[in-house]
Amino acid sequence: MTVWTAFEVVRLYYGISGNMMEKVPELATYVLLTIFPQMPFMIYFAYVQPVLFPVDPILGSFMLIYLVVQIYFGLITIRNQIRSQTSQF
C-alpha cells in the first residue's frame, strides 16, 4: 500500500502539472504511470489479494474502471495538446 501511495502522488503530480502548464511529456508520463504501476496494483487489490471484507473486490473494480476512464481522457488530452502545439508551431 505504501508503494502504491508513492506512485499515486507522483502520477497525480505529473497529471496536474502537465495539464496546467500544457506540456505533453508530463501528460504522457501521467498516462504511462497510470497504465504500468497503477493498473497492476488495482488488479491485485481488487482480485488477487485475500479478501478481508466482502466489499473489497467491488471497490477495487470501481477503482479499476476509474483508472480506465482516466487513461481514456488522458489520451484524448494528449492528442488535443499535440494538435494545439502543432498548430501554434
Side-chain angles (χ1 to χ4, degrees):
M1 197 67 165
T2 304
V3 175
W4 174 77
T5 304
F7 276 115
E8 184 70 14
V9 169
V10 172
R11 183 182 75 91
L12 291 176
Y13 169 75
Y14 279 116
I16 292 170
S17 68
N19 197 15
M20 297 300 282
M21 294 186 289
E22 297 182 354
K23 292 188 176 182
V24 175
E26 278 84 355
L27 286 172
T29 303
Y30 164 76
V31 171
L32 288 175
L33 285 175
T34 303
I35 292 171
F36 174 62
Q38 293 299 321
M39 290 293 272
F41 280 132
M42 285 302 108
I43 291 170
Y44 174 76
F45 290 148
Y47 305 115
V48 178
Q49 78 174 353
V51 177
L52 298 176
F53 301 103
V55 76
D56 283 345
I58 297 168
L59 293 177
S61 298
F62 282 134
M63 291 177 70
L64 198 57
I65 291 168
Y66 187 64
L67 279 178
V68 170
V69 170
Q70 287 179 8
I71 291 169
Y72 174 73
F73 284 115
L75 291 174
I76 288 174
T77 304
I78 289 173
R79 185 177 50 188
N80 290 338
Q81 289 291 335
I82 290 172
R83 285 181 184 164
S84 172
Q85 290 180 4
T86 302
S87 68
Q88 289 176 1
F89 183 68

